[in-house]
Amino acid sequence: QVQLVESGGGLVQPGGSLRLSCAASGRTIRGYVMGWFRQAPGAEREFVAAVGWNSGRTNYADPVKGRFTISRDNTKNTIYLQMSSLKPEDTAIYFCAAESSGNLYSSRGQYDYWGQGTQVTVSS
């Protein structure tokens, strides 16, 4: 079992930056693909980014390409989402997820473990 806890969310102005963290416990994340998803009010949970067992493999949703960076530190059992040039449409609860197949899935149904989420609000 893997427990995931997100942190780092908050209120930020448009154009600002924010760094989210996801701390894992129970098992090392070394053998898992890790992903970030987000869910805006009234919307479906959508894929944001994923990173493979090593940071060399990444996958990003089109709306965040060039603005968000996913990374992992297996030593710290933590993954990160560095968000820059934030837009109001980035406002959502951001969830961390873990997947064991090794594929960088963009579908939330493929992920095995989920955190509780952290709120990101982009507003003036």
Side-chain angles (χ1 to χ4, degrees):
Q1 298 294 310
V2 178
Q3 293 79 47
L4 305 172
V5 179
E6 304 92 338
S7 63
L11 175 64
V12 63
Q13 294 184 359
S17 298
L18 206 59
R19 188 196 195 204
L20 305 183
S21 298
C22 173
S25 61
R27 294 185 64 181
T28 177
I29 64 169
R30 193 178 305 274
Y32 289 87
V33 168
M34 303 296 297
W36 286 98
F37 289 75
R38 66 187 183 185
Q39 187 168 18
E44 293 291 317
R45 192 171 300 184
E46 65 179 9
F47 173 76
V48 175
V51 60
W53 296 322
N54 299 308
S55 293
R57 293 190 301 136
T58 57
N59 187 25
Y60 295 94
D62 287 340
V64 308
K65 286 181 179 177
R67 299 189 298 120
F68 291 10
T69 301
I70 187 171
S71 62
R72 66 192 295 157
D73 187 336
N74 290 334
T75 301
K76 296 181 178 179
N77 224 31
T78 301
I79 68 165
Y80 307 94
L81 185 68
Q82 179 64 51
M83 305 182 294
S84 300
S85 301
L86 283 163
K87 305 174 181 179
E89 50 263 45
D90 295 319
T91 295
I93 301 174
Y94 282 71
F95 298 88
C96 178
E99 192 275 321
S100 60
S101 77
N103 298 314
L104 276 64
Y105 291 120
S106 60
S107 174
R108 62 187 175 94
Q110 302 299 321
Y111 286 77
D112 303 299
Y113 304 102
W114 294 85
Q116 294 293 99
T118 185
Q119 177 71 49
V120 172
T121 302
V122 184
S123 176
S124 299

